[in-house]
Amino acid sequence: DAGVIQSPRHEVTEMGQEVTLRCKPISGHDYLFWYRQTMMRGLELLIYFNNNVPIDDSGMPEDRFSAKMPNASFSTLKIQPSEPRDSAVYFCASSRSNTEAFFGQGTRLTVV
Amino acid sequence: GNSVTQMEGPVTLSEEAFLTINCTYTATGYPSLFWYVQYPGEGLQLLLKATKADDKGSNKGFEATYRKETTSFHLEKGSVQVSDSAVYFCALSSRSNDYKLSFGAGTTVTVRA
């Protein structure tokens, strides 16, 4: 398996624009997690899915953030409108129940 | 709820020195414990894991033992290399928390030649 695949690796956008981050989890994994990493706050869990269903989105910072998982092999994290304080590295991870999570390479987002 | 506390960094060592990063946890039930490593510009990679008390995880010369009596999972390596320079995260997951990973704050380790 190729592992968790995220795209794009880097994204630079202007404030107010919509940003969509994409994730393909490892086949057969039933959990998918979205994390954000910044110097100030470290790793934060934004939202996670189990069998494509959102279970806990309490980490999503504002209504500007939304996430979907239309099928077992694809998830998106959308920010609309984006703001400079959203600049961070966003990671997607997947796992099977009771096993370790595997992380993607991350998307480095810069909002100017 | 679950939580992980790990030693604050940064840690700077010389090559071939001994490395210890302390990690303690609070959890309900019987969590699985992990150490992840993040090299510059990359995602997190699983370094080692332990799923029950007294288990020892090991990989690439690193070791950690699941100590239920002291709720600890300290990471050790006897002789570090420059290539071990990275950020190390202690983490746990448990069924009672729906297998969400709870991470420590991370410890930055720099090894000098």
Side-chain angles (χ1 to χ4, degrees):
Chain A
D1 202 314
V4 176
I5 299 173
Q6 291 187 247
S7 64
R9 288 294 309 276
H10 302 275
E11 176 80 35
V12 180
T13 191
E14 291 185 346
M15 183 174 62
Q17 296 298 306
E18 177 179 295
V19 175
T20 299
L21 312 181
R22 297 172 176 78
C23 175
K24 176 179 168 53
I26 293 173
S27 176
H29 283 189
D30 54 351
Y31 282 83
L32 184 139
F33 307 87
W34 281 101
Y35 289 88
R36 178 171 69 176
Q37 186 178 37
T38 61
M39 290 292 291
M40 292 297 294
R41 292 187 296 271
L43 267 171
E44 303 172 277
L45 177 64
L46 301 178
I47 184 172
Y48 77 99
F49 297 81
N50 179 220
N51 292 321
N52 313 339
V53 176
I55 303 300
D56 184 355
D57 65 354
S58 60
M60 298 284 259
E62 299 172 35
D63 290 346
R64 298 184 295 107
F65 286 69
S66 62
K68 295 181 180 179
M69 192 166 185
N71 56 61
S73 59
F74 184 65
S75 177
T76 60
L77 177 68
K78 186 176 294 187
I79 309 172
Q80 166 62 19
S82 57
E83 297 182 4
R85 59 195 168 120
D86 302 331
S87 297
V89 181
Y90 291 81
F91 289 105
C92 176
S94 70
S95 71
R96 282 199 190 95
S97 306
N98 203 28
T99 65
E100 64 271 22
F102 292 82
F103 282 74
Q105 293 284 72
T107 296
R108 181 173 296 277
L109 174 65
T110 303
V111 183
V112 298
Chain B
N2 295 345
S3 67
V4 176
T5 302
Q6 66 179 97
M7 189 173 81
E8 295 278 336
V11 174
T12 302
L13 303 165
S14 296
E15 222 169 7
E16 299 184 3
F18 184 85
L19 171 67
T20 297
I21 305 176
N22 290 340
C23 172
T24 57
Y25 67 89
T26 302
T28 54
Y30 302 93
S32 294
L33 303 175
F34 309 92
W35 277 100
Y36 282 83
V37 59
Q38 185 178 29
Y39 299 104
E42 298 187 12
L44 280 73
Q45 304 172 25
L46 180 69
L47 181 59
L48 53 84
K49 67 178 181 181
T51 58
K52 60 183 187 295
D54 299 325
D55 267 3
K56 178 186 285 188
S58 61
N59 185 27
K60 298 182 181 180
F62 290 89
E63 292 184 342
T65 301
Y66 189 143
R67 302 284 188 201
K68 194 166 179 62
E69 64 276 13
T70 55
T71 62
S72 65
F73 192 55
H74 304 322
L75 182 69
E76 296 181 337
K77 185 172 185 180
S79 177
V80 294
Q81 305 300 313
V82 172
S83 57
D84 294 324
S85 298
V87 182
Y88 294 82
F89 293 90
C90 186
L92 71 83
S93 72
S94 67
R95 182 178 180 177
S96 63
N97 205 30
D98 202 19
Y99 304 117
K100 289 185 297 185
L101 277 169
S102 298
F103 282 96
T107 301
T108 300
V109 173
T110 302
V111 181
R112 297 179 302 196

